[in-house]
Amino acid sequence: MSRFDLLVRGGTVVTPAGLVPCDVGVSDGLVAEVAPEIEGGAHEIVDAAGLHVFPGAIDVHVHCNEPGPRTAWEGFAHATAAMAAGGTTTFVDMPFNASPATVDGATFDRKREAAEAGCAIDFALWGGLVPGDVDRLDELEIGRAHV
């Protein structure tokens, strides 16, 4: 039985401490081990000799246009496929490009459902504050059951 789903061997891993020659073992979509020479096999092995291995990027300011009439222009599926291709693993979507804007519990739930159905990477959502909606701000509270 393979120890990992994916094993990236012989790359130069970029860490906060600097460049380190290491292997990276991945299980269930998560980095499970980073070490100079990981023992064991994997379902898939990538030879990264001569290559740099970077952590995934997090983009905290993204404008997807979903849900709403501009979904085909850049909805979650298209945007996150491009992000994943460029090494982004997580993004935070801004509240005002959806139609309607994400400013209360109902629109937040609608946006979350669209993101869950279409995203290829992890995500977080902001709720927006607009004039006249201050009394509905509690609907966007972090402690909501589905968040």
Side-chain angles (χ1 to χ4, degrees), residues 15-108:
T15 74
L19 304 177
V20 182
C22 281
D23 295 344
V24 178
V26 178
S27 294
D28 296 323
L30 300 173
V31 173
E33 185 176 348
V34 178
E37 291 184 31
I38 295 176
E39 293 185 23
H43 294 289
E44 180 181 358
I45 297 176
V46 174
D47 179 4
L51 301 174
H52 286 79
V53 180
F54 287 82
I58 299 172
D59 189 337
V60 297
H61 191 119
V62 172
H63 292 271
C64 289
N65 293 288
E66 187 171 355
R70 295 187 301 174
T71 296
W73 182 54
E74 178 138 79
F76 289 116
H78 178 263
T80 61
M83 285 184 244
T88 299
T89 59
T90 304
F91 74 98
V92 182
D93 192 64
M94 299 289 102
F96 297 118
N97 278 49
S99 181
T102 309
V103 296
D104 57 34
T107 55
F108 184 93

Coordinates of all heavy atoms in Angstrom, one line a residue, residues 15-108:
T15 N 10.7 27.8 1.8 CA 10.1 27.9 3.1 C 10.4 29.3 3.7 O 11.2 30.0 3.1 CB 10.7 26.9 4.1 OG1 12.1 27.3 4.4 CG2 10.8 25.5 3.4
P16 N 9.7 29.7 4.8 CA 10.0 31.0 5.4 C 11.5 31.1 5.8 O 12.0 32.2 5.9 CB 9.1 31.0 6.6 CG 8.0 30.1 6.3 CD 8.6 29.0 5.4
A17 N 12.1 29.9 6.1 CA 13.5 29.9 6.5 C 14.5 30.0 5.3 O 15.7 30.1 5.5 CB 13.8 28.7 7.3
G18 N 14.0 29.8 4.1 CA 14.8 29.8 2.9 C 14.6 28.6 2.0 O 13.6 27.9 2.1
L19 N 15.5 28.3 1.1 CA 15.4 27.2 0.2 C 16.0 25.9 0.8 O 17.1 25.9 1.3 CB 16.2 27.5 -1.1 CG 15.7 28.8 -1.8 CD1 16.6 29.1 -3.0 CD2 14.3 28.8 -2.2
V20 N 15.2 24.8 0.8 CA 15.6 23.6 1.4 C 15.4 22.4 0.4 O 14.3 22.3 -0.1 CB 14.8 23.3 2.7 CG1 15.2 22.1 3.4 CG2 14.9 24.5 3.6
P21 N 16.4 21.6 0.1 CA 16.2 20.5 -0.7 C 15.4 19.4 0.0 O 15.8 19.0 1.1 CB 17.6 20.0 -1.1 CG 18.5 20.7 -0.2 CD 17.8 21.8 0.5
C22 N 14.2 19.1 -0.4 CA 13.3 18.2 0.3 C 12.4 17.5 -0.6 O 12.2 17.8 -1.8 CB 12.4 19.0 1.3 SG 13.2 19.5 2.8
D23 N 11.8 16.4 -0.1 CA 10.6 15.7 -0.7 C 9.4 16.2 0.0 O 9.4 16.6 1.2 CB 10.7 14.2 -0.5 CG 11.9 13.6 -1.2 OD1 12.5 14.2 -2.1 OD2 12.2 12.4 -0.8
V24 N 8.2 16.2 -0.7 CA 7.0 16.6 -0.1 C 6.0 15.4 -0.3 O 5.7 15.1 -1.4 CB 6.4 17.9 -0.7 CG1 5.1 18.3 -0.1 CG2 7.4 19.0 -0.5
G25 N 5.4 14.9 0.8 CA 4.4 13.9 0.7 C 3.0 14.5 1.0 O 2.8 15.2 1.9
V26 N 2.1 14.1 0.1 CA 0.7 14.6 0.2 C -0.3 13.5 0.4 O -0.2 12.5 -0.4 CB 0.3 15.4 -1.1 CG1 -1.1 15.9 -1.0 CG2 1.3 16.6 -1.3
S27 N -1.2 13.6 1.3 CA -2.2 12.6 1.6 C -3.6 13.3 1.7 O -3.6 14.3 2.5 CB -1.9 11.8 2.8 OG -0.8 11.0 2.7
D28 N -4.6 12.8 1.1 CA -5.9 13.4 1.2 C -5.9 14.9 0.9 O -6.6 15.7 1.5 CB -6.6 13.2 2.5 CG -6.8 11.7 2.8 OD1 -7.2 11.0 1.8 OD2 -6.6 11.2 3.9
G29 N -5.1 15.4 -0.1 CA -5.0 16.8 -0.4 C -4.3 17.7 0.5 O -4.3 18.9 0.3
L30 N -3.6 17.1 1.5 CA -2.9 17.9 2.5 C -1.4 17.5 2.5 O -1.1 16.3 2.4 CB -3.5 17.8 3.9 CG -4.9 18.3 4.0 CD1 -5.4 17.9 5.4 CD2 -5.1 19.8 3.8
V31 N -0.5 18.5 2.7 CA 0.9 18.2 2.9 C 1.0 17.4 4.2 O 0.6 17.8 5.3 CB 1.7 19.4 3.0 CG1 3.2 19.1 3.3 CG2 1.7 20.1 1.6
A32 N 1.5 16.1 4.1 CA 1.6 15.3 5.3 C 3.0 15.2 5.8 O 3.2 14.9 7.0 CB 1.1 13.9 4.9
E33 N 4.0 15.4 5.0 CA 5.4 15.3 5.4 C 6.3 16.1 4.5 O 6.1 16.1 3.3 CB 5.8 13.9 5.5 CG 7.2 13.7 6.1 CD 7.6 12.2 6.2 OE1 6.7 11.4 6.1 OE2 8.8 12.0 6.5
V34 N 7.2 16.8 5.0 CA 8.3 17.5 4.3 C 9.6 17.1 5.0 O 9.8 17.3 6.1 CB 8.1 19.0 4.3 CG1 9.3 19.7 3.5 CG2 6.8 19.4 3.7
A35 N 10.5 16.4 4.2 CA 11.7 15.9 4.8 C 12.7 15.8 3.6 O 12.4 15.6 2.5 CB 11.5 14.6 5.5
P36 N 14.0 15.7 4.0 CA 15.1 15.6 3.0 C 14.9 14.3 2.1 O 15.1 14.4 0.9 CB 16.4 15.5 3.8 CG 16.0 16.3 5.0 CD 14.6 16.0 5.3
E37 N 14.6 13.2 2.6 CA 14.4 12.0 1.8 C 13.3 11.2 2.5 O 13.5 10.4 3.4 CB 15.7 11.2 1.7 CG 16.8 11.9 0.9 CD 18.0 11.0 0.8 OE1 17.9 9.8 0.8 OE2 19.1 11.6 0.7
I38 N 12.1 11.3 2.0 CA 10.9 10.6 2.5 C 11.0 9.1 2.0 O 11.1 8.9 0.8 CB 9.6 11.3 2.1 CG1 9.5 12.6 2.7 CG2 8.4 10.4 2.5 CD1 8.3 13.4 2.3
E39 N 10.8 8.2 2.9 CA 10.8 6.8 2.6 C 9.4 6.4 2.2 O 8.4 7.0 2.7 CB 11.3 6.0 3.7 CG 12.8 6.2 4.0 CD 13.3 5.2 5.1 OE1 12.7 4.2 5.3 OE2 14.3 5.6 5.7
G40 N 9.2 5.4 1.4 CA 7.9 4.9 1.1 C 7.5 5.4 -0.3 O 8.2 6.2 -1.0
G41 N 6.4 4.8 -0.7 CA 5.9 5.1 -2.1 C 4.7 6.0 -2.1 O 4.3 6.5 -1.1
A42 N 4.1 6.2 -3.3 CA 2.9 7.0 -3.5 C 2.2 6.5 -4.7 O 2.8 5.9 -5.6 CB 3.3 8.5 -3.6
H43 N 1.0 6.9 -4.8 CA 0.2 6.6 -6.0 C 0.8 7.3 -7.2 O 0.8 6.8 -8.3 CB -1.3 6.9 -5.8 CG -2.0 6.1 -4.8 ND1 -2.3 4.8 -5.0 CD2 -2.4 6.4 -3.6 CE1 -2.9 4.3 -3.9 NE2 -3.0 5.3 -3.0
E44 N 1.3 8.5 -7.0 CA 1.9 9.3 -8.0 C 3.2 9.9 -7.5 O 3.2 10.5 -6.4 CB 0.9 10.5 -8.5 CG 1.5 11.3 -9.5 CD 0.5 12.5 -9.9 OE1 -0.6 12.5 -9.4 OE2 0.9 13.3 -10.8
I45 N 4.2 9.9 -8.3 CA 5.5 10.4 -7.9 C 5.9 11.5 -8.9 O 5.9 11.2 -10.2 CB 6.6 9.4 -7.7 CG1 6.2 8.4 -6.6 CG2 7.9 10.0 -7.5 CD1 7.1 7.2 -6.4
V46 N 6.3 12.6 -8.5 CA 6.7 13.7 -9.4 C 8.2 13.9 -9.1 O 8.6 14.2 -8.0 CB 5.9 15.0 -9.1 CG1 6.5 16.2 -10.0 CG2 4.5 14.8 -9.5
D47 N 9.0 13.9 -10.2 CA 10.4 14.2 -10.0 C 10.6 15.7 -10.2 O 10.4 16.3 -11.2 CB 11.2 13.5 -11.1 CG 12.7 13.7 -11.1 OD1 13.2 14.5 -10.2 OD2 13.4 13.3 -12.0
A48 N 10.9 16.3 -9.1 CA 11.1 17.8 -9.0 C 12.5 18.2 -9.0 O 12.8 19.4 -8.7 CB 10.3 18.4 -7.8
A49 N 13.5 17.3 -9.4 CA 14.9 17.7 -9.4 C 15.1 18.9 -10.3 O 14.6 19.0 -11.4 CB 15.7 16.5 -9.9
G50 N 15.8 19.9 -9.8 CA 16.1 21.1 -10.5 C 14.9 22.1 -10.5 O 15.0 23.2 -11.1
L51 N 13.9 21.8 -9.8 CA 12.7 22.7 -9.7 C 12.5 23.2 -8.3 O 12.9 22.6 -7.3 CB 11.4 21.9 -10.2 CG 11.5 21.3 -11.6 CD1 10.2 20.5 -11.8 CD2 11.6 22.4 -12.6
H52 N 11.8 24.3 -8.2 CA 11.4 24.9 -6.9 C 10.0 24.4 -6.6 O 9.1 24.4 -7.5 CB 11.5 26.4 -6.9 CG 12.9 26.9 -6.9 ND1 13.7 27.0 -8.0 CD2 13.6 27.4 -5.8 CE1 14.9 27.4 -7.6 NE2 14.8 27.7 -6.3
V53 N 9.7 24.1 -5.4 CA 8.4 23.7 -4.9 C 7.9 24.8 -3.9 O 8.5 25.0 -2.9 CB 8.4 22.3 -4.2 CG1 7.0 21.9 -3.7 CG2 9.0 21.3 -5.1
F54 N 6.8 25.5 -4.3 CA 6.3 26.6 -3.6 C 5.0 26.2 -2.8 O 4.3 25.4 -3.3 CB 5.9 27.7 -4.5 CG 7.0 28.5 -5.1 CD1 7.7 28.0 -6.2 CD2 7.4 29.7 -4.6 CE1 8.8 28.7 -6.8 CE2 8.5 30.4 -5.1 CZ 9.2 29.9 -6.2
P55 N 4.8 26.9 -1.7 CA 3.5 26.7 -1.0 C 2.4 27.3 -1.9 O 2.7 28.2 -2.7 CB 3.6 27.4 0.3 CG 4.7 28.4 0.1 CD 5.6 27.8 -1.0
G56 N 1.1 27.0 -1.7 CA 0.1 27.5 -2.5 C -0.2 29.0 -2.1 O 0.0 29.4 -0.9
A57 N -0.5 29.8 -3.1 CA -0.8 31.2 -2.8 C -2.2 31.4 -2.3 O -3.1 30.6 -2.6 CB -0.6 32.0 -4.1
I58 N -2.4 32.5 -1.5 CA -3.7 32.9 -1.1 C -4.0 34.3 -1.6 O -3.2 35.2 -1.3 CB -3.8 32.8 0.5 CG1 -3.5 31.4 1.0 CG2 -5.1 33.3 1.0 CD1 -3.4 31.3 2.5
D59 N -5.0 34.4 -2.3 CA -5.4 35.7 -2.9 C -6.6 36.3 -2.1 O -7.7 35.7 -2.1 CB -5.8 35.6 -4.4 CG -6.0 36.9 -5.1 OD1 -6.2 37.9 -4.4 OD2 -5.9 36.9 -6.3
V60 N -6.4 37.3 -1.4 CA -7.4 37.8 -0.4 C -8.3 38.9 -1.1 O -9.1 39.5 -0.4 CB -6.8 38.4 0.9 CG1 -6.1 37.2 1.6 CG2 -5.9 39.5 0.6
H61 N -8.2 39.2 -2.4 CA -9.0 40.2 -3.0 C -9.3 39.7 -4.4 O -8.7 40.1 -5.4 CB -8.2 41.5 -3.0 CG -9.1 42.7 -3.4 ND1 -9.3 43.7 -2.6 CD2 -9.8 42.9 -4.6 CE1 -10.1 44.6 -3.2 NE2 -10.4 44.1 -4.4
V62 N -10.4 39.0 -4.5 CA -10.9 38.4 -5.8 C -12.3 38.9 -6.1 O -13.1 39.0 -5.2 CB -10.8 36.9 -5.8 CG1 -11.5 36.3 -7.0 CG2 -9.4 36.4 -5.6
H63 N -12.6 39.2 -7.4 CA -13.9 39.6 -7.8 C -14.5 38.6 -8.7 O -14.2 38.6 -9.9 CB -13.9 41.0 -8.4 CG -13.5 42.1 -7.5 ND1 -14.5 42.7 -6.8 CD2 -12.3 42.6 -7.1 CE1 -13.9 43.7 -6.0 NE2 -12.6 43.6 -6.2
C64 N -15.2 37.6 -8.2 CA -16.0 36.7 -9.1 C -17.4 37.3 -9.3 O -17.9 38.0 -8.4 CB -16.1 35.3 -8.5 SG -14.5 34.4 -8.4
N65 N -17.9 37.0 -10.4 CA -19.2 37.6 -10.8 C -20.4 36.6 -10.7 O -21.2 36.5 -11.5 CB -19.1 38.2 -12.2 CG -18.2 39.4 -12.2 OD1 -18.5 40.4 -11.7 ND2 -17.0 39.1 -12.8
E66 N -20.4 35.9 -9.6 CA -21.4 34.8 -9.4 C -21.9 34.9 -8.0 O -21.1 35.2 -7.1 CB -20.8 33.5 -9.7 CG -21.7 32.4 -9.7 CD -21.1 31.0 -10.1 OE1 -20.0 31.0 -10.6 OE2 -21.9 30.0 -10.1
P67 N -23.2 34.7 -7.8 CA -24.2 34.5 -8.8 C -24.6 35.8 -9.5 O -24.3 36.9 -9.0 CB -25.4 33.9 -8.0 CG -25.2 34.5 -6.6 CD -23.7 34.7 -6.4
G68 N -25.3 35.6 -10.6 CA -25.8 36.8 -11.3 C -25.6 36.7 -12.8 O -25.1 35.8 -13.3
P69 N -26.0 37.8 -13.5 CA -26.0 37.8 -14.9 C -24.6 37.8 -15.6 O -24.5 37.5 -16.7 CB -26.8 39.1 -15.3 CG -26.7 40.0 -14.1 CD -26.6 39.0 -12.9
R70 N -23.6 38.1 -14.8 CA -22.2 38.1 -15.3 C -21.4 36.8 -15.0 O -20.2 36.7 -15.2 CB -21.5 39.3 -14.9 CG -22.1 40.6 -15.4 CD -21.2 41.8 -15.1 NE -21.1 41.9 -13.6 CZ -20.3 42.8 -13.1 NH1 -19.6 43.7 -13.8 NH2 -20.2 42.9 -11.8
T71 N -22.1 35.8 -14.5 CA -21.5 34.5 -14.2 C -20.7 33.9 -15.3 O -19.5 33.5 -15.1 CB -22.5 33.5 -13.7 OG1 -23.2 34.0 -12.5 CG2 -21.9 32.1 -13.4
A72 N -21.2 34.0 -16.6 CA -20.5 33.5 -17.7 C -19.2 34.3 -18.0 O -18.3 33.7 -18.6 CB -21.4 33.5 -19.0
W73 N -19.2 35.5 -17.6 CA -18.0 36.3 -17.8 C -16.8 35.9 -16.9 O -15.7 35.7 -17.4 CB -18.3 37.8 -17.5 CG -17.2 38.8 -17.8 CD1 -16.5 38.9 -18.9 CD2 -16.7 39.7 -16.8 NE1 -15.6 39.9 -18.7 CE2 -15.7 40.4 -17.5 CE3 -17.0 40.0 -15.5 CZ2 -15.0 41.4 -16.8 CZ3 -16.3 41.0 -14.9 CH2 -15.3 41.7 -15.6
E74 N -17.1 35.7 -15.6 CA -16.1 35.1 -14.7 C -16.8 34.6 -13.5 O -16.8 35.3 -12.5 CB -15.0 36.1 -14.4 CG -14.0 35.4 -13.4 CD -12.5 35.7 -13.7 OE1 -12.1 36.8 -13.4 OE2 -11.9 34.8 -14.3
G75 N -17.3 33.4 -13.5 CA -17.9 32.8 -12.4 C -16.8 32.0 -11.6 O -15.6 32.0 -11.9
F76 N -17.3 31.3 -10.6 CA -16.3 30.6 -9.7 C -15.6 29.5 -10.5 O -14.4 29.3 -10.3 CB -17.1 30.0 -8.5 CG -17.5 31.0 -7.5 CD1 -18.8 31.2 -7.3 CD2 -16.6 31.7 -6.8 CE1 -19.2 32.1 -6.3 CE2 -16.9 32.7 -5.9 CZ -18.3 32.9 -5.7
A77 N -16.2 28.7 -11.3 CA -15.5 27.6 -12.0 C -14.4 28.2 -12.9 O -13.2 27.7 -12.8 CB -16.5 26.8 -12.9
H78 N -14.6 29.2 -13.7 CA -13.6 29.7 -14.6 C -12.5 30.4 -13.8 O -11.3 30.1 -14.0 CB -14.2 30.7 -15.5 CG -13.3 31.4 -16.5 ND1 -12.7 32.6 -16.2 CD2 -12.7 31.0 -17.6 CE1 -11.9 32.9 -17.2 NE2 -11.9 32.0 -18.1
A79 N -12.9 31.2 -12.8 CA -11.9 32.0 -12.0 C -11.0 31.0 -11.2 O -9.7 31.2 -11.2 CB -12.6 32.9 -11.1
T80 N -11.6 30.0 -10.6 CA -10.8 29.2 -9.7 C -9.9 28.2 -10.5 O -8.9 27.7 -10.1 CB -11.6 28.4 -8.7 OG1 -12.6 27.6 -9.3 CG2 -12.3 29.4 -7.8
A81 N -10.4 27.8 -11.7 CA -9.5 27.0 -12.6 C -8.2 27.7 -13.0 O -7.1 27.2 -12.9 CB -10.3 26.5 -13.8
A82 N -8.4 29.0 -13.3 CA -7.2 29.9 -13.6 C -6.3 30.1 -12.4 O -5.1 30.0 -12.5 CB -7.7 31.2 -14.1
M83 N -7.0 30.3 -11.2 CA -6.2 30.4 -10.0 C -5.4 29.2 -9.7 O -4.2 29.3 -9.4 CB -7.1 30.8 -8.8 CG -7.6 32.2 -8.8 SD -8.6 32.6 -7.3 CE -10.2 32.9 -8.1
A84 N -6.0 28.0 -9.8 CA -5.3 26.8 -9.5 C -4.2 26.6 -10.5 O -3.1 26.1 -10.0 CB -6.3 25.6 -9.6
A85 N -4.3 26.9 -11.7 CA -3.3 26.7 -12.7 C -2.1 27.6 -12.4 O -0.9 27.3 -12.7 CB -3.8 27.1 -14.1
G86 N -2.3 28.7 -11.7 CA -1.3 29.6 -11.3 C -0.7 29.4 -9.9 O 0.1 30.2 -9.5
G87 N -1.2 28.4 -9.2 CA -0.6 28.1 -7.9 C -1.4 28.6 -6.7 O -1.0 28.5 -5.6
T88 N -2.6 29.2 -7.0 CA -3.4 29.7 -5.9 C -4.2 28.6 -5.3 O -4.8 27.9 -6.1 CB -4.3 30.9 -6.3 OG1 -3.4 31.9 -6.8 CG2 -5.2 31.4 -5.2
T89 N -4.2 28.4 -4.0 CA -5.0 27.3 -3.4 C -6.2 27.8 -2.6 O -7.1 27.0 -2.3 CB -4.1 26.5 -2.4 OG1 -3.6 27.4 -1.4 CG2 -2.9 25.9 -3.2
T90 N -6.2 29.1 -2.3 CA -7.3 29.7 -1.5 C -7.5 31.1 -2.0 O -6.6 31.8 -2.3 CB -7.0 29.7 0.0 OG1 -6.7 28.4 0.4 CG2 -8.1 30.2 0.8
F91 N -8.8 31.6 -2.0 CA -9.1 33.0 -2.3 C -10.2 33.5 -1.4 O -11.0 32.7 -0.8 CB -9.4 33.2 -3.8 CG -10.8 32.7 -4.1 CD1 -11.9 33.6 -4.2 CD2 -11.1 31.3 -4.3 CE1 -13.2 33.1 -4.5 CE2 -12.3 30.9 -4.6 CZ -13.4 31.8 -4.7
V92 N -10.3 34.8 -1.3 CA -11.4 35.5 -0.6 C -12.1 36.4 -1.6 O -11.5 37.2 -2.2 CB -10.9 36.4 0.6 CG1 -12.0 37.0 1.3 CG2 -10.0 35.5 1.5
D93 N -13.4 36.1 -1.8 CA -14.2 36.8 -2.8 C -14.8 38.1 -2.2 O -15.3 38.1 -1.1 CB -15.3 35.9 -3.3 CG -15.9 36.5 -4.6 OD1 -15.2 36.6 -5.6 OD2 -17.1 36.8 -4.5
M94 N -14.7 39.1 -3.0 CA -15.3 40.4 -2.6 C -16.8 40.4 -2.7 O -17.4 39.7 -3.6 CB -14.7 41.6 -3.4 CG -13.2 41.7 -3.2 SD -12.7 42.4 -1.6 CE -12.2 40.9 -0.8
P95 N -17.6 41.2 -1.9 CA -19.0 41.0 -1.9 C -19.8 41.7 -2.9 O -21.0 41.5 -3.1 CB -19.4 41.6 -0.5 CG -18.3 42.6 -0.2 CD -17.1 42.0 -0.9
F96 N -19.2 42.6 -3.7 CA -20.1 43.5 -4.5 C -20.1 43.2 -6.0 O -20.8 43.9 -6.8 CB -19.7 45.0 -4.3 CG -19.9 45.4 -2.9 CD1 -18.8 45.9 -2.2 CD2 -21.1 45.4 -2.4 CE1 -19.0 46.3 -0.9 CE2 -21.4 45.8 -1.1 CZ -20.3 46.2 -0.3
N97 N -19.5 42.1 -6.5 CA -19.6 41.7 -7.9 C -20.8 40.7 -8.1 O -21.1 40.5 -9.3 CB -18.3 41.1 -8.4 CG -17.3 42.2 -8.7 OD1 -17.1 43.1 -8.0 ND2 -16.8 42.1 -9.9
A98 N -21.3 40.2 -7.1 CA -22.5 39.3 -7.3 C -23.7 40.2 -7.6 O -23.7 41.3 -7.3 CB -22.7 38.4 -6.0
S99 N -24.7 39.6 -8.1 CA -26.0 40.3 -8.4 C -27.1 39.4 -7.9 O -27.5 38.4 -8.5 CB -26.1 40.6 -9.9 OG -27.3 41.3 -10.1
P100 N -27.7 39.8 -6.7 CA -27.4 41.0 -5.9 C -26.1 40.9 -5.1 O -25.6 39.8 -4.9 CB -28.7 41.1 -5.0 CG -29.1 39.7 -4.9 CD -28.8 39.0 -6.2
A101 N -25.7 42.1 -4.6 CA -24.5 42.1 -3.8 C -24.7 41.3 -2.5 O -25.8 41.2 -2.1 CB -24.1 43.6 -3.5
T102 N -23.6 40.8 -2.0 CA -23.6 40.0 -0.8 C -23.6 40.9 0.5 O -22.6 41.3 1.0 CB -22.4 39.1 -0.8 OG1 -22.3 38.4 -2.0 CG2 -22.5 38.0 0.3
V103 N -24.8 41.3 0.9 CA -24.9 42.3 2.0 C -25.8 41.8 3.1 O -26.1 42.6 4.0 CB -25.4 43.6 1.4 CG1 -24.4 44.2 0.5 CG2 -26.8 43.5 0.7
D104 N -26.4 40.6 3.0 CA -27.3 40.1 4.1 C -27.2 38.6 4.1 O -26.5 38.0 3.2 CB -28.7 40.6 3.9 CG -29.3 40.2 2.6 OD1 -29.0 39.1 2.0 OD2 -30.1 41.0 2.0
G105 N -27.8 37.9 5.0 CA -27.8 36.5 5.1 C -28.2 35.7 3.9 O -27.6 34.8 3.5
A106 N -29.3 36.2 3.3 CA -29.8 35.5 2.1 C -28.9 35.5 0.9 O -28.6 34.5 0.3 CB -31.2 36.0 1.7
T107 N -28.3 36.7 0.7 CA -27.4 36.8 -0.5 C -26.1 36.1 -0.2 O -25.4 35.6 -1.0 CB -27.1 38.3 -0.9 OG1 -26.7 39.0 0.3 CG2 -28.4 38.9 -1.4
F108 N -25.6 36.1 1.1 CA -24.4 35.4 1.5 C -24.6 33.9 1.3 O -23.8 33.2 0.7 CB -24.1 35.7 3.0 CG -22.8 35.0 3.4 CD1 -21.6 35.7 3.4 CD2 -22.8 33.7 3.9 CE1 -20.4 35.2 3.8 CE2 -21.6 33.1 4.3 CZ -20.4 33.9 4.2

